[in-house]
Amino acid sequence: MKELNIITPVLSVGYDELSESDRRLVDAARGMTRKSYAPYSLFSVGAAVLLDNGEIVTGSNQENAAYPSGICAERTAAFYANANYPDARFTAIAIAARDTSGEEVAEPISPCGACRQVLAEYEQLASRDVKVILAGRGNIYVLPSVKSLLPLAFTSFE
Ligand SMILES: [Zn+2]
């Protein structure tokens, strides 16, 4: 028997410590929290995907009275990005959120399991690490890849 320890490296940084490109991505994700349709949860999430062609594609959570029919901000952005730029590859994603008070969450939120799965596949398609930036009001977490958020991910090809 052998124990394997999987380590998730997370950089906790301030906004001013981000590169200009990362700040633009965080700004885009934060802006999208104002455009979510979240009348049920009142929890507004924004996501911004940076593609290798320089495009930033954004999304926000979209809810529905039939709850499972809604979709997270991350998948809204990811699916739109790949639908409109099928030849481009993901390089980074930023995620931000605003809670029921309307304030940006103090601590970063992290993608749900379904979004991690979807992002892991786009990371695999990109054949490179896709940086994940989780923005909170107080802290911003930077992870080097989606697979660091979803170790031992299920994938259809290796
Ligand atoms: Zn999700």
Side-chain angles (χ1 to χ4, degrees):
M1 183 165 46
K2 183 177 164 193
E3 182 178 279
L4 302 174
N5 290 298
I6 299 171
I7 296 174
T8 298
V10 181
L11 278 178
S12 179
V13 302
Y15 180 80
D16 294 341
E17 294 175 279
L18 294 171
S19 68
E20 189 182 331
S21 168
D22 289 351
R23 283 199 300 269
R24 276 190 26 233
L25 207 57
V26 166
D27 291 346
R30 284 175 167 165
M32 287 308 290
T33 64
R34 299 275 184 208
K35 297 182 178 176
S36 82
Y37 177 64
Y40 305 103
S41 71
L42 303 178
F43 193 79
S44 298
V45 182
V49 172
L50 176 63
L51 299 174
D52 63 2
N53 63 5
E55 290 287 336
I56 292 177
V57 178
T58 55
S60 59
N61 55 325
Q62 300 294 314
E63 297 182 351
N64 190 273
Y67 289 175
S69 300
I71 193 163
C72 304
E74 298 92 321
R75 275 177 289 159
T76 302
F79 291 152
Y80 187 93
N82 204 54
N84 286 280
Y85 303 99
D87 298 327
R89 295 294 173 249
F90 288 32
T91 65
I93 183 168
I95 300 156
R98 206 171 288 283
D99 65 20
T100 52
S101 72
E103 290 286 311
E104 183 175 16
V105 293
E107 293 301 316
I109 64 154
S110 195
C112 76
C115 287
R116 291 177 197 214
Q117 180 68 32
V118 165
L119 293 171
E121 185 145 337
Y122 288 125
E123 180 172 73
Q124 194 174 26
L125 267 177
S127 300
R128 72 165 70 131
D129 288 348
V130 173
K131 187 193 294 186
V132 180
I133 306 168
L134 308 174
R137 196 172 68 242
N139 285 314
I140 295 175
Y141 293 161
V142 180
L143 292 91
S145 63
V146 175
K147 61 179 169 282
S148 62
L149 266 179
L150 188 63
L152 306 176
F154 172 76
T155 54
S156 62
F157 53 94
E158 277 301 328

